[in-house]
Amino acid sequence: MAFAYCYEASFPPSSDELAACASIVGLTVDDIDGCTSNKELVASLIQDEAYKTAQALIPGTPTIILSGNSISTSKFKSLLKQVCAEFTSLNPDAETPDGCRRAASLRGSISTA
């Protein structure tokens, strides 16, 4: 995921940015080029991912899956709350992430009257 985030953050990346992103996951630009230039491999990966998407019953985009459960679009407004609750349940001894603390303080300051 670190490579994808880095790549998307600098899209379209320069050759230096691509090399930096690749190095995050222990790859070189040549490694990536070797993979993406193999048309049979790319076609196979696309087919495999399409199959996995169909098996997961993903209806379209956006589809968000949290701990194996699809989040309905009607619950997107509370997505951060759900992610924070999941993080806390999986990491009870961890410090609360900044985003969760900020979101909780905002919810407390917003009047619903």
Side-chain angles (χ1 to χ4, degrees):
M1 198 62 156
F3 173 81
Y5 178 79
C6 178
Y7 182 85
E8 290 293 327
S10 60
F11 190 80
S14 68
S15 56
D16 288 342
E17 290 168 329
L18 179 58
C21 293
S23 71
I24 291 171
V25 292
L27 297 174
T28 66
V29 172
D30 288 339
D31 295 329
I32 293 170
D33 288 342
C35 179
T36 58
S37 65
N38 182 332
K39 294 192 185 318
E40 288 180 14
L41 177 60
V42 171
S44 176
L45 289 171
I46 290 171
Q47 185 175 8
D48 289 348
E49 292 304 312
Y51 177 78
K52 289 179 199 174
T53 299
Q55 293 301 108
L57 302 175
I58 294 177
T61 57
T63 296
I64 298 175
I65 299 175
L66 179 62
S67 294
N69 299 307
S70 181
I71 305 296
S72 71
T73 55
S74 66
K75 297 196 176 186
F76 279 4
K77 286 185 178 181
S78 65
L79 182 60
L80 181 58
K81 182 179 179 180
Q82 293 172 70
V83 169
C84 292
E86 185 69 16
F87 176 86
T88 302
S89 72
L90 295 173
N91 304 284
D93 297 328
E95 183 178 343
T96 302
D98 287 342
C100 294
R101 278 199 306 274
R102 283 195 300 269
S105 70
L106 286 173
R107 280 193 302 273
S109 66
I110 297 173
S111 172
T112 57

